[in-house]
Amino acid sequence: MNEQESLECRRLAHRARLHCLRMVHKGQSGHIGSMLSCAEILSVMYLRIMRNIKPDDADNPERDRLIFSKGHGGGALFATLAELGYFPKEWLDTYYQDAGKLSGHISHHINGVEFSTGSLGHGMPVAAGMAMVGYRAHKKHRIFCVVSDGDCNAGSTWEAIMLAGQHGWDNLTMIVDYNRLQALGRSEDVIDLEPLDVKLRDFGWAAKVVEDGHDVQQLEEVLSSVPLESGKPSAVICRTIKGKGVSFMEDNFNWHYGPVTAKQYEQAVAELNAKGL
Amino acid sequence: MRAAFNKELLAIAKKDPRVHMILADIGYGEIEGFANAFPERFINCGVAEQNMTGVACGVAMEGNIAITYSIANFPTLRCLEQIRNDVCYHNANVKIVIIGGGMAYGPLGISHHSTEDLAIMRALPNMVVIAPCDIPEAIEATRAMMAYKGPVYYRCGYKKEPNIYDSPVKFKIGRANIISDGSDATMIFAGTIGYNCKLAVEQLARDGVKCRLVSMHTVKPLDVETVKRAATETGAILTVEEHNICGGLGSAVAEALMDSGAGNIPFKRLALPDVNVTKIGSQKWLCDEYGLGVKHIVAAVKEILK
């Protein structure tokens, strides 16, 4: 990826962050930390990795599919899709509001959203089913599933991991937005997933850790190399920071739920804009 | 009935390449035909019903018809949220098939009974709920289910169910079948308990009571017209189901009667009396013990006609 392409990824993530802050502030809703955590993952996926995706042809059978399992962070996916022209950006201002277009968890009723989620542990089984069908029919499209730390607490996620590993569906990639904070505390204090890459390899997956899940170069390098091993599903574990980009939200689990006041919103926007993207 | 279902499914799958079977390590002795004929359309997810249902949804989202299949309440209650959020919300073409509806697996105990399924499945938007009563009806129900686009719950029996119909079965989702006519009262049932109902109707005839017998094979969408006609034409209704008293067929019929203004008639629901089934025995014995025997059904009709 050249400097211009890298800049485009960073810009898309930056714009998505600004949208998310505005959406959460206007809607007085939560989950801003989870949204800011995956902005670069989504910008790199949609600008650099996924094939045959077009806003005006979102059902193209040859498209790569992205299941966004951490539905509570779906504001980031809505913002990314709006920036890419999947639906009018004005809809973002109706997020979480009466008669709004966009709900607090993502919905397939919105163009570009592959699958509705919201309760954790649902994305991976569905992604595995899609992967099985594509793999057996020798289709070229890939299935990606973005999961959270909380998703990795759910038994159903591991049921799907075991099944995909058993059958070697290498058209399937699980992307972990590994910010290591969940609703009630640090993941290491709730359910410590470490060493996650080792666990996944033990279940027949190939796994790589992206040390900085906000570095678009690092993300692109690993995500563009899937399948990491032929004959195995791939796990890309992205070390991220919950609330990334806003100093007082970073790595602070209070921003799993906390709504954003007007003053906090102004400060957050000023901080993001000061970064010069 | 399960053998008939599997045979019919296999015949449909031979003609329709969209048909997939998604299992959770249940089906020994029955599913091998499908698994051997169509290994590319078959997957055993292991003992993991949540994953089975999610995988089925993913398979269906790719333009296929996915069958999940297991014993009694395994493919419903364990994975209810997957059915609700994944299958029903996306209106995915998933068919949830249970083997051993009601207490068909009698002595295996409560873990293998399905006695709340009709209530819970019919509470889900987009879900069609079917409970065939005998093997001919089960075969026709299978064809109708597979031709229907969208989520269906299919409560299959177990084995060697006696026939209830005397004539060839016509089956349309949402349209009840009148097995035999009568003018004094109507007995509405769903599922294999229908055989006890048939015997009860025969006994009642010998006692001089002419009872209409209706197979309400589709519990949702309910055939409200047939319920209303039963009320106006026969003047009394008894519902019979091998299911808890809460929320199943009887509740659905009562709702239809009240909503349609036809509820001012003698009416009773015969069902399991909202207790855990702790006694041990065969399906027939358990039905007799828990108030669903032929004599109970006969007595219930006579009671509402007093």
Side-chain angles (χ1 to χ4, degrees):
Chain A
M1 171 157 72
N2 63 34
E3 185 48 40
Q4 181 59 32
E5 290 160 343
S6 163
L7 184 63
E8 282 171 17
C9 288
R10 284 180 283 138
R11 265 202 189 126
L12 176 56
H14 172 69
R15 286 181 186 145
R17 282 201 170 89
L18 290 173
H19 285 313
C20 288
L21 281 163
R22 191 176 75 257
M23 291 154 66
V24 167
H25 171 53
K26 280 189 86 164
Q28 282 297 290
S29 62
H31 300 134
I32 184 67
S34 308
M35 296 176 195
L36 300 181
S37 173
C38 61
E40 282 81 11
I41 290 172
L42 290 174
S43 74
V44 170
M45 284 304 297
Y46 278 88
L47 290 180
R48 304 295 309 161
I49 304 298
M50 286 166 65
R51 301 171 189 152
N52 300 321
I53 54 165
K54 270 192 272 176
D56 58 357
D57 187 20
D59 294 326
N60 183 334
E62 292 176 14
R63 75 196 182 281
D64 282 346
R65 283 98 162 126
L66 185 140
I67 305 268
F68 191 79
S69 190
K70 43 172 284 180
H72 58 289
L77 180 58
F78 283 147
T80 303
L81 292 173
E83 274 293 326
L84 294 173
Y86 280 82
F87 58 86
K89 282 187 214 169
E90 296 77 54
W91 290 11
L92 297 174
D93 289 296
T94 73
Y95 176 80
Y96 211 78
Q97 292 169 49
D98 290 349
K101 292 276 190 189
L102 306 175
S103 53
H105 294 85
I106 55 160
S107 166
H108 65 287
H109 293 117
I110 298 301
N111 187 42
V113 176
E114 197 72 50
F115 200 77
S116 298
T117 56
S119 174
L120 294 178
H122 282 248
M124 277 301 293
V126 174
M130 290 178 164
M132 180 188 90
V133 170
Y135 179 89
R136 288 175 168 182
H138 309 289
K139 300 282 190 193
K140 291 214 171 73
H141 68 259
R142 290 98 44 95
I143 316 291
F144 296 91
C145 184
V146 178
V147 303
S148 66
D149 304 70
D151 261 314
C152 295
N153 293 175
S156 51
T157 297
W158 290 95
E159 291 177 0
I161 287 169
M162 289 191 287
L163 185 72
Q166 171 79 23
H167 293 280
W169 295 328
D170 60 8
N171 57 343
L172 174 63
T173 298
M174 181 172 81
I175 302 168
V176 187
D177 178 7
Y178 199 40
N179 60 44
R180 305 188 68 191
L181 278 183
Q182 48 194 99
L184 294 186
R186 295 207 169 272
S187 298
E188 65 194 65
D189 297 329
V190 181
I191 296 289
D192 193 354
L193 297 165
E194 282 293 296
L196 185 55
D197 55 339
V198 173
K199 289 183 171 75
L200 287 160
R201 286 188 201 108
D202 282 349
F203 282 130
W205 285 56
K208 261 195 184 167
V209 176
V210 175
E211 289 302 333
D212 181 353
H214 302 292
D215 181 324
V216 296
Q217 295 277 4
Q218 285 184 35
L219 284 168
E220 201 232 16
E221 191 184 320
V222 177
L223 287 167
S224 63
S225 67
V226 299
L228 301 171
E229 282 181 50
S230 180
K232 290 183 177 181
S234 303
V236 178
I237 301 163
C238 308
R239 291 193 181 278
T240 53
I241 296 168
K242 198 156 183 162
K244 172 71 177 179
V246 178
S247 60
F248 58 92
M249 293 180 176
E250 286 193 1
D251 200 34
N252 179 344
F253 80 89
N254 288 319
W255 292 98
H256 186 85
Y257 289 121
V260 182
T261 65
K263 197 175 161 199
Q264 288 165 333
Y265 173 65
E266 279 170 26
Q267 187 187 338
V269 170
E271 278 190 25
L272 284 172
N273 282 332
K275 295 185 201 302
L277 282 166
Chain B
M1 190 184 288
R2 68 172 178 175
F5 166 79
N6 277 290
K7 191 177 163 204
E8 187 57 35
L9 180 68
L10 185 57
I12 293 167
K14 279 180 181 157
K15 292 181 203 146
D16 189 342
R18 297 174 302 162
V19 178
H20 284 64
M21 213 170 183
I22 319 294
L23 295 196
D25 213 34
I26 290 287
Y28 177 77
E30 296 293 345
I31 53 78
E32 291 79 359
F34 192 107
N36 293 332
F38 307 112
E40 293 296 297
R41 294 195 259 143
F42 175 88
I43 186 87
N44 181 357
C45 295
V47 185
E49 288 79 10
Q50 293 182 70
N51 195 36
M52 170 179 75
T53 307
V55 166
C57 188
V59 167
M61 296 294 283
E62 294 291 337
N64 300 298
I65 307 173
I67 318 288
T68 63
Y69 173 104
S70 194
I71 287 177
N73 68 77
F74 296 5
T76 52
L77 299 191
R78 180 76 165 264
C79 45
L80 181 56
E81 197 183 68
Q82 276 76 14
I83 296 173
R84 176 183 181 268
N85 295 12
D86 302 347
V87 174
C88 289
Y89 184 43
H90 294 83
N91 204 21
N93 207 352
V94 173
K95 317 301 182 192
I96 299 154
V97 177
I98 72 150
I99 302 303
M103 301 180 291
Y105 283 103
L108 285 181
I110 190 171
S111 65
H112 286 55
H113 296 167
S114 183
T115 47
E116 307 82 15
D117 52 334
L118 301 176
I120 293 168
M121 289 296 108
R122 90 181 174 93
L124 298 170
N126 281 346
M127 183 66 84
V128 167
V129 178
I130 295 176
C133 65
D134 67 2
I135 290 167
E137 192 178 75
I139 292 167
E140 294 302 321
T142 303
R143 290 176 187 154
M145 168 172 77
M146 297 304 287
Y148 174 85
K149 191 165 188 271
V152 177
Y153 172 66
Y154 183 103
R155 185 199 232 212
C156 193
Y158 181 29
K159 58 185 176 187
K160 295 182 181 166
E161 291 81 4
N163 279 3
I164 295 172
Y165 286 86
D166 296 325
S167 52
V169 180
K170 286 185 183 158
F171 192 100
K172 188 160 186 257
I173 289 173
R175 185 170 297 169
N177 285 334
I178 296 176
I179 308 265
S180 56
D181 209 356
S183 51
D184 297 334
T186 299
M187 191 184 299
I188 301 176
F189 68 88
T192 56
I193 194 69
Y195 189 65
N196 277 6
C197 296
K198 179 184 165 125
L199 297 180
V201 165
E202 288 167 3
Q203 178 62 48
L204 286 162
R206 288 192 288 275
D207 297 345
V209 178
K210 296 189 278 295
C211 191
R212 180 180 293 179
L213 184 61
V214 174
S215 172
M216 190 63 76
H217 51 68
T218 309
V219 177
K220 182 186 175 184
L222 194 80
D223 184 349
V224 177
E225 278 310 307
T226 292
V227 172
K228 276 164 64 181
R229 274 210 313 278
T232 54
E233 292 171 8
T234 73
I237 293 178
L238 176 76
T239 65
V240 186
E241 62 199 302
E242 196 174 320
H243 184 277
N244 196 14
I245 188 90
C246 303
L249 171 74
S251 299
V253 171
E255 291 161 12
L257 282 171
M258 293 308 288
D259 285 345
S260 65
N264 189 23
I265 55 162
F267 173 81
K268 185 174 171 65
R269 296 173 294 151
L270 215 53
L272 294 171
D274 200 20
V275 295
N276 287 307
V277 172
T278 51
K279 295 180 186 177
I280 299 155
S282 68
Q283 181 179 26
K284 182 181 182 312
W285 187 86
L286 286 171
C287 282
D288 288 342
E289 282 295 307
Y290 285 94
L292 295 170
V294 175
K295 66 178 179 191
H296 302 108
I297 301 171
V298 169
V301 170
K302 287 182 176 171
E303 187 194 320
I304 58 171
L305 289 179
K306 265 182 193 165

